[in-house]
Amino acid sequence: MANVDDHPIWKYFNVPEGGKCDSTVDKQCNLQDDAEEGGSCGTRFLPTRTSTYCIMGRLLEECKSKTENTLKDVKESWSEIGVSIACDGWTDGEGRPQLNILAVNSRASVFLFGVDCGTDKKGADYIAKHLKTAIVEVGAENVVGLLMDGASANISAASIVAQEYPKVLWIRCAAHALSLLMKDIGELNWAKPTIEEAQQLISTLKNAQWITGHFREDSLKVLKTAGIRFGTNYIALERLILVRRTLKKMVSTKGFKDYMKGRPKLRVARGTIKRPGFWKGVEQVVVVLKPIYMMLRQVDGNQEVMGKMWENNINCPLYVVGRILYPPNQYEKIFGPDRECTKVFKQFVRDYYKGETVKMGNVLSPMATVVETEILTYTRGTGEIGEQKAKDEHILIKEGHLDPVQWWVMNGSDCPHLTKLACKILKQCVSASTCETNWGVWESIHTARRNRLGPKRLADLVYVSHNYHTVKKLDEDFAKKMMVTALPMIREEPKDGYEPLDEDDDIQDEAYLDISTVDESEDEPDDESEDESSDSE
């Protein structure tokens, strides 16, 4: 039997070496041990008898304080690289509306606080009020934008915040926009029947015990679609293509034909698998959705892609600014001259630095004018930016070996104000999917066993859990970068023209079969006469 004194819970209590607790700890913990004279509580108590008040009160506050101390380095970096306030709404398992608000950039995501909406309506004014609270907590000078999806309440809330904080702009969530685009394509007349038929086929296969067991033997699974995941239709259809040869062989086996008797849904599924027109439709949908899904994979999460994508939208100018300030776009002239983008960029600079002045020599000059002058230096490639060293380093940025912010720090001495702006904008995320991930933390804490947690206590637990993993991930990323520098990673090329799925893509957390060694020519021809005879039996 393990020694009770070795339990890690003892480090949270002020217990002397003699094994006696003082009266203060006894009162705080509300121990049930028989107290002896002198204020001691006798022998040491079991951790299971520690009161909830002590663990969820004093100890939780200590954990919050320690977590906040570990985030000091992250928060100090906000003044240099900026941060965005991400906000998303959600309804928990008990039907209570919630809001979670995080501070995110491409380096890390920090959970700030959660809001239990209660009976309040999640309208524009309500969201704006909590966004302003987050901006005050982070510091208005550190906030670059508000990262939210395109819901009307969010757009109106961003406009309300911009009236008080004109430098804080709305950033459209690119992952949400691309997901809606994929959903709209799936509703088209040529794609919708194929997707619905594929969903029906997958549902039938997943609910058949014999098929599930057969797939388990082959280390293969068919994926179901999930409404809460981005790109779920593409993932499910691509998996169908990967397992197509195995499915065709399976429905021709004697075991499947015996199991199919008396099950009309399996008979329909068998006909769907054998019909070439169905697979042709699936391939067409996958070919159309694949570029959008690959872009979704790039923008989803805390990725540095602000300069790699852009949108010509005056209501969301940060994408345009990021596109212009991304060095490879400037040197390679990817998009060519674009008057509309230049116009949006100049208007952004004038609005961003409205009313600000800077001392140039003995004269106070408008900050917007100074930045526009530095923009000419950057676009024309004069000064240090025009040197061959700076031109060669943009290739390292494309290959992922150099951070674009580092490029500006090393080569932007002639454009100090533009460099500061570029460092803040290029470090911002374009997706609010971190909020979606954070809801998983809420669900893992607020379970059936812990369904009486109050809103504040639940938010405190989420604060500790989410931010602990944030700090842990920063250490892992640092070690990974050191390994990449010493040993470049070699990525295997996809086979058969399809990108292999990663573990994160697996909606049901199931392994998939590597069919790269299976030859398409091995498919047996359909024997319709044999099928009809077996059906008649």
Side-chain angles (χ1 to χ4, degrees), residues 63-135:
C63 288
K64 276 192 65 179
S65 178
K66 292 179 180 179
T67 303
E68 195 164 347
N69 291 333
T70 59
L71 293 172
K72 283 185 178 179
D73 293 339
V74 177
K75 293 182 177 181
E76 289 175 356
S77 67
W78 290 347
S79 60
E80 297 179 0
I81 61 176
V83 70
S84 299
I85 303 298
C87 176
D88 190 22
W90 179 64
T91 302
D92 63 11
E94 296 185 358
R96 298 180 301 186
Q98 305 278 350
L99 279 178
N100 64 342
I101 297 180
L102 294 85
V104 300
N105 55 28
S106 59
R107 184 190 179 200
S109 65
V110 176
F111 177 79
L112 297 179
F113 57 87
V115 180
D116 182 15
C117 301
T119 58
D120 297 328
K121 182 181 179 181
K122 290 190 293 185
D125 295 332
Y126 185 79
I127 297 174
K129 180 182 70 173
H130 293 290
L131 290 175
K132 291 178 182 179
T133 303
I135 292 173

Side-chain angles (χ1 to χ4, degrees), residues 254-267:
K254 185 177 184 299
F256 179 84
K257 295 174 182 177
D258 295 338
Y259 183 75
M260 184 179 63
K261 294 178 180 179
R263 295 179 173 88
K265 289 186 178 180
L266 287 181
R267 193 180 303 275

Side-chain angles (χ1 to χ4, degrees), residues 182-220:
M182 298 180 74
K183 181 179 178 181
D184 291 342
I185 293 177
E187 294 294 327
L188 297 178
N189 294 333
W190 63 271
K192 186 175 181 179
T194 300
I195 294 176
E196 290 179 348
E197 191 173 11
Q199 291 175 345
Q200 182 63 36
L201 172 64
I202 294 172
S203 178
T204 302
L205 296 178
K206 296 289 288 186
N207 293 331
Q209 181 181 357
W210 183 89
I211 298 176
T212 304
H214 178 79
F215 277 32
R216 189 179 297 114
E217 294 176 358
D218 292 344
S219 301
L220 174 148

Side-chain angles (χ1 to χ4, degrees), residues 33 75 153 268 315 489 522:
D33 295 319
K75 293 182 177 181
V268 175
N315 296 321
M489 292 186 299
E522 295 179 0

